[in-house]
């Protein structure tokens, strides 16, 4: 079965750039989607198909995907960006797969 | 954009069947534009996809839950439902419904929007 690996936690200084990775075998060949989840709330889509932002998501959020790693980049990190972030792909054999999630802390 | 709202009992006894409904507003569940999914999240843990249904009634389930899951659609009520049988404490979680844009080539594309989620506790 297909698996996605995320770091448990990432820290970033206020105003700096945070990068959250999502590892998977040849993930570059798949479409990767990213969700932000704040405590007590439902996940919110922040990036779809590797690098596309839904309407209403700030330009500070961007994504890339190549080889065995996809990356969510949050520029000029704000206190309001503190949340759990999940990557997700569809695999033809496994169907929907979520990464384990990364807790982003803004220092 | 459509909006989704989960409803159902918050407490289910072990060995019984968990039943939840997701009501779709702001659009027709019969439009053919979306897949409709259930996803769950145990407290403090990650997201687990349970399964999806299309307007036609076609379903796909997570293999780890397939033997216990049934997802159905009621187009007259603009709702889709989840039934999970023989529940145990391990099924205690927040259950979300969510939609995925229809694409026959990639049925597991992104989820947007999500319902607010409903907590289901399995306990006697």
């Amino acid at each position: 079965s297909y698996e996605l690996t995320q770091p448990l936690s990432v820290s970033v200084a206020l105003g700096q750039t945070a990068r959250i990775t999502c590892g998977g075998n040849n993930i570059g060949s798949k479409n990767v989607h990213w969700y932000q989840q704040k405590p007590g709330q439902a996940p919110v889509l922040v990036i779809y198909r590797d690098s596309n932002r839904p309407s209403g998501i700030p330009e500070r959020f961007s994504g890339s995907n190549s080889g065995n790693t996809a990356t969510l980049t949050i520029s000029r990190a704000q206190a309001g960006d503190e949340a759990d972030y999940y990557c997700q792909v569809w695999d033809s054999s496994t169907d929907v797969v979520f990464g384990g999630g990364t807790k982003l802390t803004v220092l | 954009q459509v909006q989704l709202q989960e409803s159902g009992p918050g407490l289910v006894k072990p060995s019984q069947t968990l039943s939840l409904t997701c009501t779709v507003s702001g659009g027709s569940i019969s439009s053919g534009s979306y897949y409709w999914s259930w996803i769950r999240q145990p407290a403090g843990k990650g997201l687990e996809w349970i399964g999806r249904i299309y307007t036609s009634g076609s379903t796909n389930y997570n293999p780890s839950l397939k033997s216990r899951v049934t997802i159905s659609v009621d187009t007259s009520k603009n709702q889709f439902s989840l039934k999970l049988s023989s529940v145990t404490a391990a099924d205690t979680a927040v259950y979300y419904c969510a939609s995925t844009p229809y694409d026959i080539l990639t049925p597991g594309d992104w989820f947007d929007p999500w319902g607010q989620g409903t907590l289901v506790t399995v306990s006697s």
Side-chain angles (χ1 to χ4, degrees):
Chain A
S1 63
Y2 195 81
E3 296 182 355
L4 297 174
T5 301
Q6 297 183 237
L8 285 176
S9 63
V10 167
S11 297
V12 62
L14 186 68
Q16 297 304 302
T17 297
R19 294 178 178 85
I20 299 172
T21 59
C22 178
N25 184 33
N26 197 26
I27 195 174
S29 67
K30 302 181 183 302
N31 291 321
V32 180
H33 320 297
W34 291 92
Y35 304 89
Q36 176 193 69
Q37 185 179 34
K38 296 182 179 180
Q41 299 183 18
V44 172
L45 179 72
V46 294
I47 293 288
Y48 66 97
R49 291 192 175 177
D50 298 343
S51 59
N52 296 280
R53 276 179 295 104
S55 60
I57 300 301
E59 292 183 6
R60 301 185 297 104
F61 288 81
S62 62
S64 62
N65 184 19
S66 178
N68 292 319
T69 304
T71 303
L72 173 68
T73 301
I74 306 171
S75 304
R76 302 183 299 283
Q78 301 178 359
D81 298 331
E82 278 206 347
D84 293 328
Y85 290 85
Y86 294 89
C87 58
Q88 177 244 318
V89 302
W90 177 74
D91 175 75
S92 58
S93 299
T94 310
D95 212 313
V96 173
V97 183
F98 286 102
T102 298
K103 181 178 180 60
L104 177 68
T105 300
V106 180
L107 304 173
Chain B
Q1 189 182 36
V2 297
Q3 294 182 312
L4 308 176
Q5 177 69 57
E6 306 88 349
S7 60
L11 181 64
V12 181
K13 289 181 166 47
S15 80
Q16 294 191 344
T17 296
L18 177 160
S19 296
L20 295 174
T21 296
C22 182
T23 300
V24 178
S25 58
S28 172
I29 203 169
S30 303
S31 69
S33 299
Y34 298 98
Y35 295 102
W36 308 99
S37 279
W38 287 97
I39 297 159
R40 71 179 183 179
Q41 184 175 37
K45 296 188 178 180
L47 301 165
E48 179 180 35
W49 176 73
I50 299 171
R52 74 169 69 81
I53 191 166
Y54 187 55
T55 305
S56 63
S58 172
T59 55
N60 302 100
Y61 299 132
N62 184 325
S64 68
L65 298 169
K66 186 174 184 177
S67 63
R68 299 193 292 131
V69 174
T70 301
I71 297 176
S72 59
V73 64
D74 186 338
T75 55
S76 66
K77 295 182 179 179
N78 228 32
Q79 296 175 335
F80 64 104
S81 299
L82 168 70
K83 291 188 185 300
L84 181 65
S85 63
S86 305
V87 297
T88 69
D91 295 309
T92 294
V94 175
Y95 286 75
Y96 297 100
C97 55
S99 63
T100 297
Y102 175 73
D103 183 336
I104 196 169
L105 296 179
T106 55
D109 239 336
W110 66 90
F111 297 102
D112 183 49
W114 298 57
Q116 66 183 29
T118 188
L119 174 62
V120 178
T121 302
V122 179
S123 175
S124 55

